[in-house]
Amino acid sequence: MRFSPAGLAAALMLAACGSAAENTPTVSSDVKLKLTPIVTEAEFPWGMAFLPNGDLLFTEKEGGLKYVAGGEGTPTSVSGLPPAYIEGQAGYLGITLDPDFATNRQVYISYSKGDDAANGAAIIHGRLSDDGSALEDVTEIFWADRRDTAYHYGSRLQFASDGTLYATLGEGFKYMEQAQDPKITHGSIIRINKDGSIPADNPFADGAVGNPAVWSYGHRNEQGLYYDAETDTLYETEHGPKGGDEFNIIRKGANYGWPKITYGVDYDGTIITDQTEAEGMEQPLTYWVPSIAPSGLTKLTSDVYPGWKGDMFTGGMNGPAGLKLVRIDMEDGKVAGREDLLVDEYPIRDVIQGPDGHLYVATKDMDGIFRVDLAE
């Protein structure tokens, strides 16, 4: 049978939809949820981090770093950040705390640095002042390879148990072919030390066949990252094109296939590749067709929500199947099913677990930050 380009695109999408349904069953639970606003003054919030005492830090794509005493209420601006390149998807992005924050008060932030002609995700760290009003002694520890687009920065940050820092780096959209080159940071996850130096056991540490900072490659736009200290496992979500969003376990030196393999097609329906798998390239634990634009990723380690302890949660920002919080039912390190929660309420940019064991979500636009409570 022969297909026109549009017909082939439709056929591939239907095939992918069938595969997605077979790949991960839909599950349901009796847990009912409601959203309780904790920060209403948040413009395009991007990343969140709770301090050990319950205070909240969050980034705004255009507004920089914000501080909320007590974790709820009106945010105040934190001074000291370098100027960001703000255009398209560029701005102030991911955030995480130093594992030793209780003693050193170090905060790590990813942001877009440069200009229209040459920009890339940069990572800085600085000491949060005792009153939370300023980031002091700010130091840049990494700046990704430059590009001339304002799209696909990745920029989630996670520390591992050994003190190394993982960061996601998107492929810059039009540079997708370079995601297959480990010598370039486009479409990669990097692993660096706290000061930006290279760990000796990185897969390309000697620089012979890959960039010394690169840990994995073949990614598209990774906006979810979670390190599970209990199992020493790094999980990631990334945007596909039209379909093909992925949830992956990240392995040292591994190639995740973009754009040589994908479960999606281009936005205009044209075929990027007819391959969904290939030798030497990793397969996702689960994927979404249609897209949800997954962003933010965390594991529930508390007992707040009955029966959900140990499951993973990611936000859905947009796309045909977005605007939701997705519970990924995990059993023995594998995906047993998926449940869509809070459907059509808000586009969710980030999700984390707070010190009280509750999940907290930041919306993509100007709706604010919410605690996920059990509904009566």
Side-chain angles (χ1 to χ4, degrees), residues 37-43 73 75 366-369:
I38 63 164
V39 179
T40 57
E41 299 177 21
E43 298 184 3
M366 301 175 69
D367 305 298
I369 298 172

Side-chain angles (χ1 to χ4, degrees), residues 292-307:
I292 65 167
S295 192
L297 183 66
T298 198
K299 177 183 177 180
L300 183 70
T301 61
S302 75
D303 295 308
V304 167
Y305 313 94

Side-chain angles (χ1 to χ4, degrees), residues 216-301:
S216 63
Y217 62 104
H219 301 288
R220 189 170 182 268
N221 188 19
E222 323 98 299
Q223 289 196 19
L225 192 67
Y226 181 81
Y227 175 76
D228 186 353
E230 183 179 354
T231 61
D232 188 28
T233 304
L234 186 65
Y235 294 95
E236 170 255 27
T237 57
E238 65 183 76
H239 294 196
K242 188 176 182 180
D245 299 340
E246 296 182 359
F247 171 55
N248 292 297
I249 287 179
I250 302 302
R251 297 181 173 87
K252 177 179 179 178
N255 180 356
Y256 287 79
W258 177 254
K260 298 298 183 183
I261 59 173
T262 180
Y263 287 92
V265 298
D266 214 341
Y267 294 110
D268 61 2
T270 58
I271 305 304
I272 298 168
T273 173
D274 61 358
Q275 302 296 310
T276 57
E277 57 184 85
E279 185 177 355
M281 297 182 181
E282 299 293 315
Q283 281 288 299
L285 294 182
T286 187
Y287 57 90
W288 286 266
V289 179
S291 293
I292 65 167
S295 192
L297 183 66
T298 198
K299 177 183 177 180
L300 183 70
T301 61

Side-chain angles (χ1 to χ4, degrees), residues 50 298-302 305 351-360:
F50 276 101
T298 198
K299 177 183 177 180
L300 183 70
T301 61
S302 75
Y305 313 94
V351 53
I352 62 173
Q353 181 177 303
D356 59 0
H358 283 81
L359 296 173
Y360 289 78

Side-chain angles (χ1 to χ4, degrees), residues 124-140:
I124 57 171
H125 68 76
R127 182 187 182 277
L128 183 68
S129 62
D130 292 340
D131 63 1
S133 67
L135 206 61
E136 304 166 339
D137 301 321
V138 174
T139 302
E140 180 183 305

Side-chain angles (χ1 to χ4, degrees), residues 50-53 97-108 126-130 136-137 194:
F50 276 101
L51 308 190
N53 67 355
L97 304 183
D98 190 295
D100 300 318
F101 178 86
T103 56
N104 65 23
R105 296 187 66 81
Q106 289 292 311
V107 178
Y108 287 71
R127 182 187 182 277
L128 183 68
S129 62
D130 292 340
E136 304 166 339
D137 301 321
K194 288 184 181 182

Side-chain angles (χ1 to χ4, degrees), residues 121-167:
I123 301 172
I124 57 171
H125 68 76
R127 182 187 182 277
L128 183 68
S129 62
D130 292 340
D131 63 1
S133 67
L135 206 61
E136 304 166 339
D137 301 321
V138 174
T139 302
E140 180 183 305
I141 61 170
F142 182 83
W143 192 10
D145 290 333
R146 264 59 98 200
R147 69 275 184 77
D148 61 357
T149 63
Y151 299 94
H152 294 190
Y153 290 92
S155 287
R156 292 296 179 190
L157 307 174
Q158 283 280 289
F159 274 102
S161 295
D162 62 3
T164 59
L165 176 66
Y166 291 103

